[in-house]
Amino acid sequence: MNARNTLKQTVLTLSAALLVAATGSAVLTQAQAQGRNRGAEVTLNLKDAEISTLIATVSEVTGKNFIIDPRVRGKVTVVSASPMDAAGVYQTFLAVLQVQGFAAIPAGDAIKIVPETNARTDGGGLISNGRGVPFDEIVTHVYTVQNVSASQLVAILRPLISQSGHFAAYAGNNSLIISDRASNVMRIERLIAQIDQSGDREIEVVKLENAAATDVVRILTTLSQASKQADPTAQTGVVIADERSNSVLIGGEKGERSRMAEIVRRLDQPGPSGGDTQVFYLNYASAENLAPILEGYAQAASASSRPGASAAAGGAASAAASSGGGGADGTRVIADKDTNSLVVTAAPKAMLAIRNVISQLDIRRRQVLVEAIIAEVSATKASELGLDYAAYSPSTGAITGILNQSTQGALSSLATAASGATTAVATGGTSTLVTAAASLIGSGATAGIGGFTSGGSFFAVLLRALASDGDTNILATPQLTTLDNEEAKLSVGQEVPFLTGSFSNTGSGGANNGSVNPFQTIERKEVGLKLGITPTVNENNGIKLKIDLESSGIASGGAGTASLITNKRTVTNSVSVEGDQILFIGGLIDNQLTDSQSRIPLLSSIPVIGALFKSRSVRKAKTNLMIFIHPVILDDRKDADYYTRKRYDGVRNAELRAAQGAVPLIGGARPVLAPFDNYAADQQAAKDANPVSPPMVQEPGPEPVPNPAPRTAPAPAPAAPSGN
């Protein structure tokens, strides 16, 4: 053990001798080296020594391993008047490096000595603060700011960071990243702690019992504006009204908050006993519909606030709403239909609650444009072929082969006319016979032969052949605009007379024995297109539609006759659809085939000639009927103007296509709607000038330029066509 100590002392003595030879100054004496080994302090003195010599000396004293960058060069001078321990020597060494522009970076079991400009990228310890490490060591610290903005602190503290240091803000979690000497990091940390204070600016909530929050905030805002005008540098608080809870939110410094809160409490005083009367002018809601709702609400609110009265609150509210009487505590709401306003008499607290309800109910409702598309395509094909015959003799009887119902009726009339054929021929009057024979002629190709004898006998053969094709294409697009939750109806059609009954009274013909006084009863029913809708718009622009659609028309028969037949298509349902979506709501695909055959037994079975004893009718009808719905939400005037212009221009273009040339026979131009922009400009000019009747139409001619000058006189409107 003594031999080992003797060896160490010899090495220290040789190292000191070498340093004396190199620098001309004694760095470590033998006694000092021996004292270091025993934990004693040493004295470090260098004059114009190479920095590498200093690094070697510090390594020997502290026992640390150093890695020296090739760029670390220069001479250093260190003067120490008092002994230092190993930690003091290392701290002095770091200070010397900082003066020379170098830095010591820990790298595992060794320490790198590099230029200070590379210290940020070559490493450095990540610590929570600068404590516990040498002051001049490069460290990196992350500091989380609690109350102020980290980005603002960077602009304030950046000049205090060394040129080789790094200082940046991360806005994601409001943090600061500092890389610098440990001593500077601790100084910056103390500055941040002093700046990062919550201050005295807080939010204070004052709940009102009697006054309205909006009124109180209006008064406080006026006071603050007056203070600002008198002293632009004065600090004023911020006040906001929360109408839902009838509270005033006050923000600012403590003194300003206290002053405003005191003003709020003084303003929140009960009003005159017996209540006050105010008039609320409504913008969108109906005063007549809103009055019973408000009275019922006031009754329910008062009943629920009284102990033991909550069970009867609902019944009392319903009674107040249905009777239209005053609410609880003398609350009374009267609707003025002419001005669409509400006259409310209530206590201050009830008045405040009613005001809040009115503000939430008197809102602009959205509009919905609904377009129904009814498309029907039908095709009908029919063919008929048959042979009818008849022979009659008064002496031998009659034989017939009547297979067509219309032929049977016509032959009956013909037989009646034939009974007087002899007389008719003798007198030259054959009109009755000709008329009866003509009734046998129907649609299609009809061929017949026959003859009559003077004895009243006759024979007739009639051949019928008919083929028909019919196509129908119907497209109807009724459109209707209405408010949210408001039912709207559209009806376009005719009132058609339907025969419901008849009466005739035939007497004996005498003056007082009877008379003929026939009459018929007629009922008129609407035939055409009817559309009824009730839209309900939700917050996600979805629409619930209640639809009632009817399309009817005359299928056959004459108006006012018993044979009148109408077609009727009805859809009644409720659907959910998105705005501007086309939805299929109903339809019909009908394919009918009717094949009827009439024949005479046995004779119709004879080959070849059996076809003479048959009558066949074939009818095929195919119908495709589809109904679609297309709702559009009109949120504002821009949407309403767009669809209005679209429909307006569509009608005007149809009029322009039909207005080619003058009116036949009487001459003159056809009336055409004015361009939309011109019409809107005319309406605005008419509104400014306040004329009696603004122009609606103009005579066709050259297209006017957009935004024309206001006209001096309205254009004459065309005369309305006379109805029959």
Side-chain angles (χ1 to χ4, degrees):
M1 189 70 181
N2 294 330
R4 183 179 300 176
N5 292 335
T6 302
L7 179 61
K8 288 184 177 180
Q9 292 176 0
T10 303
V11 172
L12 289 174
T13 303
L14 292 175
S15 299
L18 291 174
L19 288 173
V20 169
T23 64
S25 299
V27 178
L28 288 173
T29 65
Q30 183 177 1
Q32 289 173 336
Q34 294 175 354
R36 182 186 68 81
N37 289 331
R38 295 190 300 268
E41 297 178 342
V42 297
T43 302
L44 183 65
N45 288 292
L46 293 174
K47 182 178 180 181
D48 293 331
E50 293 291 335
I51 193 171
S52 59
T53 303
L54 175 62
I55 295 173
T57 301
V58 173
S59 176
E60 181 66 24
V61 173
T62 61
K64 298 181 182 293
N65 302 319
F66 295 101
I67 302 173
I68 305 173
D69 189 284
R71 293 169 292 181
V72 178
R73 297 176 182 178
K75 295 182 181 295
V76 298
T77 299
V78 181
V79 178
S80 177
S82 60
M84 297 179 292
D85 58 5
V89 171
Y90 185 70
Q91 185 67 43
T92 303
F93 171 65
L94 293 179
V96 172
L97 291 180
Q98 180 183 6
V99 172
Q100 296 294 325
F102 304 119
I105 306 300
D109 294 335
I111 299 175
K112 297 187 296 183
I113 309 299
V114 297
E116 195 173 44
T117 55
N118 293 16
R120 290 187 303 175
T121 57
D122 284 354
L126 179 62
I127 59 173
S128 59
N129 52 51
R131 300 178 181 87
V133 297
F135 286 169
D136 292 316
E137 186 173 326
I138 300 295
V139 296
T140 301
H141 174 53
V142 178
Y143 191 92
T144 302
V145 183
Q146 301 295 334
N147 301 291
V148 298
S149 172
S151 301
Q152 294 178 354
L153 287 180
V154 169
I156 298 173
L157 301 177
R158 186 67 182 86
L160 302 179
I161 303 297
S162 63
Q163 293 183 353
S164 60
H166 177 73
F167 193 37
Y170 176 61
N173 60 356
N174 200 40
S175 299
L176 291 172
I177 302 174
I178 309 172
S179 180
D180 204 351
R181 304 281 177 178
S183 59
N184 201 28
V185 169
M186 289 188 291
R187 181 177 65 135
I188 297 298
E189 180 182 1
R190 289 193 296 269
L191 292 175
I192 293 175
Q194 294 178 11
I195 297 174
D196 187 23
Q197 300 294 330
S198 61
D200 199 24
R201 298 186 64 87
E202 296 180 355
I203 302 297
E204 184 174 349
V205 179
V206 180
K207 185 174 180 59
L208 305 181
E209 295 294 337
N210 302 289
T214 53
D215 296 339
V216 173
V217 167
R218 183 173 62 252
I219 296 173
L220 292 177
T221 303
T222 304
L223 290 175
S224 299
Q225 292 175 352
S227 299
K228 275 290 186 180
Q229 291 177 358
D231 183 8
T233 62
Q235 296 292 331
T236 59
V238 178
V239 289
I240 300 175
D242 180 20
E243 297 185 7
R244 183 186 61 83
S245 62
N246 193 38
S247 302
V248 177
L249 282 68
I250 306 175
E253 299 297 337
K254 183 176 182 180
E256 186 66 18
R257 293 200 314 270
S258 300
R259 185 179 70 86
M260 288 189 171
E262 181 62 25
I263 296 175
V264 171
R265 294 185 181 94
R266 291 185 179 183
L267 293 176
D268 187 27
Q269 298 297 326
S273 59
D276 191 11
T277 300
Q278 295 185 20
V279 178
F280 297 92
Y281 293 95
L282 305 181
N283 296 319
Y284 306 104
S286 171
E288 292 181 306
N289 297 335
L290 198 56
I293 296 176
L294 293 175
E295 288 193 349
Y297 165 76
Q299 179 76 10
S302 176
S304 61
S305 63
R306 294 194 301 266
S310 58
S318 302
S322 59
S323 63
D329 301 330
T331 301
R332 184 170 180 82
V333 182
I334 302 175
D336 182 17
K337 182 178 179 181
D338 295 335
T339 60
N340 194 37
S341 59
L342 295 171
V343 181
V344 182
T345 301
K349 188 173 183 179
M351 182 71 73
L352 177 61
I354 290 176
R355 181 200 298 268
N356 294 334
V357 174
I358 292 176
S359 64
Q360 297 181 53
L361 294 179
D362 186 26
I363 59 175
R364 178 176 180 175
R365 289 187 290 174
R366 307 166 82 177
Q367 297 186 107
V368 180
L369 168 64
V370 180
E371 179 181 37
I373 304 172
I374 305 172
E376 179 179 357
V377 179
S378 60
T380 304
K381 293 185 178 181
S383 61
E384 180 181 350
L385 179 63
L387 182 67
D388 299 324
Y389 61 90
Y392 173 76
S393 174
S395 59
T396 60
I399 181 173
T400 61
I402 307 302
L403 304 177
N404 192 294
Q405 296 294 331
S406 60
T407 304
Q408 184 177 2
L411 287 178
S412 177
S413 300
L414 185 61
T416 302
S419 62
T422 304
T423 306
V425 173
T427 58
T430 59
S431 59
T432 303
L433 188 60
V434 172
T435 302
S439 63
L440 292 171
I441 302 175
S443 302
T446 304
I449 59 175
F452 298 89
T453 64
S454 59
S457 300
F458 72 89
F459 73 95
V461 179
L462 186 66
L463 174 67
R464 289 180 178 272
L466 173 64
S468 63
D469 292 333
D471 293 327
T472 303
N473 187 357
I474 300 175
L475 177 63
T477 56
Q479 302 166 13
L480 198 58
T481 302
T482 183
L483 286 173
D484 181 23
N485 276 326
E486 288 288 342
E487 182 181 9
K489 295 182 178 181
L490 173 67
S491 178
V492 180
Q494 298 176 328
E495 288 192 349
V496 178
F498 286 79
L499 181 62
T500 58
S502 62
F503 176 78
S504 62
N505 181 15
T506 305
S508 60
N512 299 321
N513 293 332
S515 62
V516 178
N517 186 20
F519 66 89
Q520 295 179 334
T521 57
I522 300 294
E523 180 183 358
R524 294 186 177 272
K525 296 183 179 180
E526 293 184 357
V527 176
L529 185 62
K530 296 180 181 179
L531 175 63
I533 58 170
T534 304
T536 301
V537 184
N538 58 36
E539 295 181 356
N540 298 324
N541 287 336
I543 307 174
K544 179 183 178 182
L545 276 176
K546 183 179 180 182
I547 306 170
D548 188 1
L549 177 63
E550 176 182 324
S551 178
S552 58
I554 300 176
S556 63
T561 63
S563 61
L564 185 61
I565 300 175
T566 59
N567 291 330
K568 185 177 181 180
R569 304 162 185 85
T570 302
V571 175
T572 302
N573 67 340
S574 297
V575 296
S576 179
V577 61
E578 297 292 331
D580 207 20
Q581 176 188 357
I582 300 176
L583 180 67
F584 168 73
I585 61 171
L588 170 67
I589 299 178
D590 186 15
N591 195 351
Q592 296 182 358
L593 176 63
T594 303
D595 186 358
S596 61
Q597 183 176 351
S598 301
R599 58 186 178 178
I600 299 176
L602 300 179
L603 296 179
S604 60
S605 302
I606 300 175
V608 182
I609 65 172
L612 300 176
F613 303 98
K614 296 179 181 179
S615 177
R616 189 167 189 173
S617 176
V618 180
R619 186 177 184 275
K620 183 178 181 181
K622 186 175 182 179
T623 302
N624 290 326
L625 173 64
M626 297 296 164
I627 302 175
F628 304 87
I629 203 76
H630 177 214
V632 177
I633 300 175
L634 306 180
D635 289 312
D636 49 26
R637 179 174 177 176
K638 181 179 179 181
D639 294 339
D641 286 347
Y642 169 78
Y643 286 99
T644 300
R645 177 190 290 270
K646 184 177 179 180
R647 301 301 189 268
Y648 187 96
D649 290 343
V651 173
R652 183 173 183 274
N653 291 335
E655 289 183 339
L656 288 174
R657 288 191 297 267
Q660 303 297 329
V663 178
L665 300 180
I666 62 175
R670 304 175 188 268
V672 177
L673 285 172
F676 185 83
D677 292 332
N678 292 1
Y679 174 62
D682 287 344
Q683 294 302 306
Q684 185 61 40
K687 181 179 179 181
D688 297 338
N690 194 21
V692 177
S693 177
M696 177 65 183
V697 297
Q698 69 174 16
E699 299 296 332
E703 291 290 333
V705 296
N707 300 326
R711 300 177 181 175
T712 56
S722 59
N724 294 330

